Amino acid sequence: MTPIDSQVQLTTPVRDRADVLGLNGEDHRLLARWLSEAGALTAIPAAAQRRRRRVLLSATAAAVVLVPWLIYLAATLPDRQRAHDWRLAWVGFDAALMLAFAATAWFGWRGRQIVITAFLVTATLLLCDAWFDVVLSWGSAEQTTAIVTAIGGEIPFAVFLLTVYHRLVRVLTAQIWRDRGRAGDPPPLRQLPLLLLRTPVDTLATRPAVSGD
């Protein structure tokens, strides 16, 4: 799909809602692409773009700083240490996990968009729970139970939630792709520019669809 030539016209004039509803598929995609290119569907304020740059710079700096910090921790932290407020730490974590499950169920049953975020948060907490359960119980009487629970319950359920999360994001991406007048399926998420940005994606549309991400 190449940029639309300025001389291309709709086969049917558009004056009102009925005219839009009466467009054929190709004209509908053409009109949607014009609106998208004009910024009518998405207009990102300059202040929001500056905030995005600050967030990305902060994330990049944090990733760089954490490399020497991890090396330092690996070299200096003791293998064993007596922990204070152990009960509070684990009860608090499990309470957060319970709230995440409750939010996922609540928003899911009510069909709210935020359930996508709830899927991701719950899956992340489950993986963290499995990691700390196994690592902190290693060599103790609870080791076998922690491993069985992680392999048989926490990790598979987290993978399931992440799979649902990924499918929902793909469905929403495909809907936006069609709403912007582009035919076929969008490219994988790892290749797709952020849809909120006015980034040219016409070159991506010429690539063959790739299953999975």
Side-chain angles (χ1 to χ4, degrees):
M1 184 184 295
T2 57
I4 300 175
D5 189 277
S6 60
Q7 301 302 316
V8 175
Q9 296 182 353
L10 300 177
T11 57
T12 304
V14 174
R15 294 177 299 272
D16 52 29
R17 181 174 180 272
D19 290 340
V20 174
L21 295 177
L23 293 175
N24 59 42
E26 184 60 32
D27 279 354
H28 188 275
R29 284 193 294 270
L30 185 61
L31 179 60
R33 289 188 62 194
W34 282 343
L35 292 172
S36 175
E37 291 171 359
L41 298 180
T42 305
I44 306 299
Q49 295 181 15
R50 289 194 295 270
R51 286 194 297 270
R52 173 179 176 269
R53 285 193 293 269
R54 287 197 294 267
V55 170
L56 295 179
L57 286 173
S58 300
T60 303
V64 172
V65 170
L66 279 174
V67 173
W69 177 246
L70 288 173
I71 296 174
Y72 170 77
L73 291 180
T76 60
L77 281 180
D79 291 332
R80 294 178 178 82
Q81 182 170 329
R82 194 175 188 87
H84 298 286
D85 296 322
W86 180 266
R87 182 183 303 171
L88 176 61
W90 279 109
V91 170
F93 183 88
D94 286 342
L97 184 58
M98 180 271 294
L99 290 175
F101 272 118
T104 301
W106 174 262
F107 293 122
W109 282 113
R110 296 176 67 85
R112 297 295 188 262
Q113 186 75 15
I114 198 173
V115 73
I116 298 177
T117 302
F119 278 127
L120 182 59
V121 171
T122 305
T124 302
L125 290 176
L126 276 172
L127 292 175
C128 291
D129 195 21
W131 168 260
F132 286 110
D133 278 344
V134 172
V135 172
L136 296 179
S137 66
W138 201 261
S140 69
E142 291 80 23
Q143 174 182 330
T144 302
T145 302
I147 294 175
V148 171
T149 302
I151 296 177
E154 292 167 329
I155 295 177
F157 199 19
V159 171
F160 167 72
L161 293 177
L162 289 174
T163 301
V164 176
Y165 163 81
H166 182 266
R167 288 176 179 172
L168 288 174
V169 172
R170 284 292 295 174
V171 168
L172 290 174
T173 300
Q175 182 61 53
I176 296 174
W177 184 265
R178 290 190 294 268
D179 288 346
R180 291 191 171 187
R182 293 178 169 82
D185 296 326
L189 297 179
R190 64 178 179 273
Q191 298 176 359
L192 185 69
L194 188 62
L195 292 175
L196 288 176
L197 302 178
R198 295 186 60 186
T199 305
V201 293
D202 292 313
T203 56
L204 290 175
T206 62
R207 300 179 183 177
V210 180
S211 59
D213 291 297

